[in-house]
């Protein structure tokens, strides 16, 4: 029972550490590419434009889904209320700059303020009832759109004076909000804020769902890069008692080190540093990563061959000198007895044997690297063992996609469970020992 729990704790620890690493990478990519800002824009465009029905299984439908995962807006919004919203100075200048022009966050108050300003138009001077002005704008705009065979409402945007089309469904909803507010501008703004807040709740769900897909993809790359094979790790831990014990001790230390620290969407520099150390420690225990013979065939392979050949030449030179010394031992005047000559010869022969082994290892690695080709790599991938390894990577990537908070919570539960079982088994063992020492009469 305890063995199964220890293996599980070891796997959970691996998933936690690599989930943290994946989150760090994902956060870097999200920040660089502005995922949050693009996801926010996608939500606002969806609020302020009408949906075009497409077949989900069509090329366009699938492309739209891929775009949504990458936080790209696939819905056309040129000339619509959504475009006017993002072109408004109240929104446009919230962006960070050249690389991140879109704002990461827009408050509901700002949303309501900008939409109201667009609907009021440039000509509004503050003397008229703003709710009545918006009502008139929507009414006149509907006639303009009808005259141009458009479905919706045409208005003139504030600032740019460009004609903006408020599409049919969006226009209907804005009218209903105004009617329900009884032409009270403050209530109308409050309704806009509520609409925006409701949409942001759904946007958070979208973002987390899409991030989970990203975590799986990044997790897969990390699983392959670090060779984190779930099946291999489980097999190793189930048969190696010392490794199990070391992983449990590391898990307990990790639990204490990360307690009370942010390991979700935002990770501190302290946790990043600690994660690197803990991953290195787990790799040392598990021995995962790529085997030497495969690492020789990546990156600076040729450079390593050159270095290895120099090392081989030095070892061969030393081996030759040892062999010469072995031949001269019998005539060495400094060795007075046969036993001393024999001991010296044995020592030299042992050194020669070690050097020969080291030279043979270098020769094998050099040969392996020189003969390595991409074709041979993919040929090896076709073998059964490689498909099992691939399955192990997929399982690891799936586990990573569940996120670090999930695994940290599960690690806490299993460590408490292990502590309880360990205490119970220890008490039982003491009771059994006591009965053996003091048998009943």
């Amino acid at each position: 029972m305890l063995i199964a729990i220890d293996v599980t704790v070891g796997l959970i620890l691996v998933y936690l550490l690599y989930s943290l690493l994946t989150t760090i990478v994902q956060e870097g990519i999200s920040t660089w590419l502005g995922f949050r800002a693009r996801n926010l824009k996608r939500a606002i465009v969806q609020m302020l434009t009408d949906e075009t029905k497409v077949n989900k299984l069509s090329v366009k439908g699938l492309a739209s889904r891929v775009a949504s995962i990458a936080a790209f807006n696939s819905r056309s919004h040129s000339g619509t209320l959504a475009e006017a919203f993002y072109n408004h100075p109240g929104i446009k200048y919230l962006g960070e700059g050249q690389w991140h022009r879109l704002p990461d966050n827009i408050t509901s108050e700002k949303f309501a303020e900008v939409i109201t300003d667009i609907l009021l138009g440039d000509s509004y001077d503050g003397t008229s009832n703003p709710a009545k002005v918006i009502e008139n704008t929507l009414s006149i705009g509907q006639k303009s759109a009808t005259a141009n065979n458009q479905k919706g409402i045409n208005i003139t945007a504030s600032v740019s004076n460009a004609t903006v089309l408020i599409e049919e469904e969006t226009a209907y909803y804005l009218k209903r909000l105004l009617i329900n507010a009884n032409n009270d501008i403050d209530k109308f703004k409050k309704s806009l804020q509520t609409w925006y807040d409701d949409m942001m709740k759904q946007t958070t769900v979208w973002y987390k769902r899409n991030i989970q897909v990203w975590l799986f993809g990044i997790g897969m790359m990390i699983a392959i890069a670090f060779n984190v094979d779930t099946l291999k790790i489980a097999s190793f831990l189930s048969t190696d008692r010392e490794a199990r014990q070391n992983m449990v001790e590391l898990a307990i230390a990790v639990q204490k080190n990360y307690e009370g620290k942010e390991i979700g969407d935002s990770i501190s520099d302290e946790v990043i540093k600690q994660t690197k150390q803990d991953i290195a420690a787990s790799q040392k225990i598990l021995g995962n990563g790529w085997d030497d013979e495969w690492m020789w065939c990546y990156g600076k392979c040729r450079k390593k061959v050159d270095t290895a050949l120099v090392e081989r030449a030095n070892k061969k030179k030393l081996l030759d000198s040892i062999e010469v010394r072995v031949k001269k031992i019998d005539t060495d005047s400094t060795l007075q007895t046969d036993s001393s000559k024999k001991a010296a010869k044995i020592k030299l022969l042992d050194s020669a044997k070690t050097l020969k082994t080291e030279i043979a290892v270098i020769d094998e690695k050099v040969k392996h690297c020189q003969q390595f080709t991409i074709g041979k790599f993919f040929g090896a991938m076709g073998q059964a063992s490689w498909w099992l390894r691939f399955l192990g990577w997929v399982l690891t990537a799936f586990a990573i996609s569940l996120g670090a908070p999930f695994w940290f919570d599960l690690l806490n539960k299993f460590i408490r469970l292990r502590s309880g079982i360990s205490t119970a088994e220890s008490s039982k063992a003491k009771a059994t020992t006591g009965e053996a020492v003091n048998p009943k009469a």
Side-chain angles (χ1 to χ4, degrees), residues 1-13 234 237-238 243-245 247-249 251-252 410-425:
M1 179 69 175
L2 201 57
I3 292 176
I5 291 177
D6 286 352
V7 171
T8 304
V9 168
L11 285 171
I12 292 173
L13 175 61
L237 288 177
S238 64
R244 279 199 311 272
Q245 185 61 37
M247 285 297 284
V248 169
E249 290 174 1
I252 293 171
L410 199 60
L411 181 66
N412 287 332
K413 291 177 180 177
F414 267 87
I415 287 178
R416 287 197 296 269
L417 176 63
R418 184 187 185 280
S419 178
I421 293 175
S422 181
T423 301
E425 288 188 355

Side-chain angles (χ1 to χ4, degrees), residues 162-174:
T163 300
V164 173
L165 175 65
I166 303 178
E167 294 175 293
E168 189 174 24
E169 293 175 6
T170 306
Y172 170 80
Y173 192 67
L174 288 172

Side-chain angles (χ1 to χ4, degrees), residues 175-192:
K175 284 181 180 179
R176 297 312 303 176
L177 291 180
L178 189 61
I179 292 170
N180 293 337
N182 294 318
N183 282 345
D184 184 315
I185 193 64
D186 291 329
K187 289 182 179 179
F188 178 65
K189 286 183 177 180
K190 193 67 178 176
S191 297
L192 289 173

Side-chain angles (χ1 to χ4, degrees), residues 80-81 83-92 113-124 137 154-164 166:
T80 66
L81 182 57
E83 183 181 46
F85 178 84
Y86 269 94
N87 286 337
H88 191 281
I91 300 299
K92 184 166 62 175
E113 175 192 325
V114 171
I115 292 296
T116 302
D117 188 56
I118 292 171
L119 294 176
L120 286 171
D122 250 357
S123 59
Y124 179 69
T137 300
N154 277 333
I155 66 170
T156 302
S158 56
V159 183
S160 65
N161 285 323
T163 300
V164 173
I166 303 178

Side-chain angles (χ1 to χ4, degrees), residues 40-59:
L40 176 60
K41 182 175 182 179
R42 173 174 164 247
I44 290 175
V45 169
Q46 180 152 325
M47 289 176 72
L48 303 180
T49 61
D50 293 353
E51 183 178 11
T52 302
K53 300 292 184 181
V54 294
N55 185 347
K56 293 181 180 179
L57 299 180
S58 67
V59 174

Side-chain angles (χ1 to χ4, degrees), residues 275-292:
T275 300
K276 291 178 181 177
Q277 295 174 355
D278 293 335
I279 286 177
S282 70
Q283 285 182 317
K284 188 174 181 181
I285 295 169
L286 298 173
N288 61 330
W290 286 96
D291 299 331
D292 287 344

Side-chain angles (χ1 to χ4, degrees), residues 246-434:
N246 289 337
M247 285 297 284
V248 169
E249 290 174 1
L250 180 59
I252 293 171
V254 165
Q255 180 197 31
K256 293 178 180 177
N257 290 336
Y258 292 25
E259 190 70 44
K261 295 178 181 176
E262 178 59 53
I263 58 172
D265 294 336
S266 179
I267 298 178
S268 66
D269 292 340
E270 182 185 358
V271 172
I272 292 174
K273 184 178 179 181
Q274 187 65 49
T275 300
K276 291 178 181 177
Q277 295 174 355
D278 293 335
I279 286 177
S282 70
Q283 285 182 317
K284 188 174 181 181
I285 295 169
L286 298 173
N288 61 330
W290 286 96
D291 299 331
D292 287 344
E293 63 268 21
W294 283 102
M295 287 304 295
W296 271 69
C297 301
Y298 286 87
K300 301 178 180 177
C301 177
R302 296 300 170 189
K303 184 177 179 181
K304 288 186 176 182
V305 167
D306 294 338
T307 303
L309 291 176
V310 172
E311 184 183 358
R312 185 192 188 285
N314 293 334
K315 289 182 182 293
K316 184 65 170 67
K317 188 175 181 180
L318 182 58
L319 177 62
D320 292 341
S321 68
I322 288 175
E323 289 176 345
V324 171
R325 288 172 61 191
V326 168
K327 292 177 181 178
K328 293 181 177 180
I329 279 181
D330 293 335
T331 58
D332 191 340
S333 58
T334 61
L335 300 173
Q336 301 295 326
T337 64
D338 291 341
S339 60
S340 62
K341 291 179 180 180
K342 184 177 180 181
K345 184 178 288 188
I346 291 173
K347 186 176 180 180
L348 287 171
L349 289 173
D350 286 343
S351 298
K353 184 178 179 181
T354 300
L355 284 169
K356 287 179 180 178
T357 301
E358 292 173 352
I359 289 171
V361 170
I362 292 174
D363 288 343
E364 183 62 29
K365 287 184 175 180
V366 170
K367 179 182 176 183
H368 184 80
C369 186
Q370 288 175 334
Q371 293 178 348
F372 180 82
T373 63
I374 295 297
K376 287 183 179 179
F377 175 76
F378 283 107
M381 286 291 286
Q383 297 174 7
S385 60
W386 275 97
W387 287 114
L388 283 175
R389 182 172 289 190
F390 182 78
L391 177 59
W393 293 334
V394 171
L395 291 173
T396 301
F398 176 75
I400 286 173
S401 71
L402 297 177
F406 172 84
W407 292 114
F408 185 71
D409 182 57
L410 199 60
L411 181 66
N412 287 332
K413 291 177 180 177
F414 267 87
I415 287 178
R416 287 197 296 269
L417 176 63
R418 184 187 185 280
S419 178
I421 293 175
S422 181
T423 301
E425 288 188 355
S426 178
S427 300
K428 185 177 179 181
K430 286 180 180 179
T432 303
T433 304

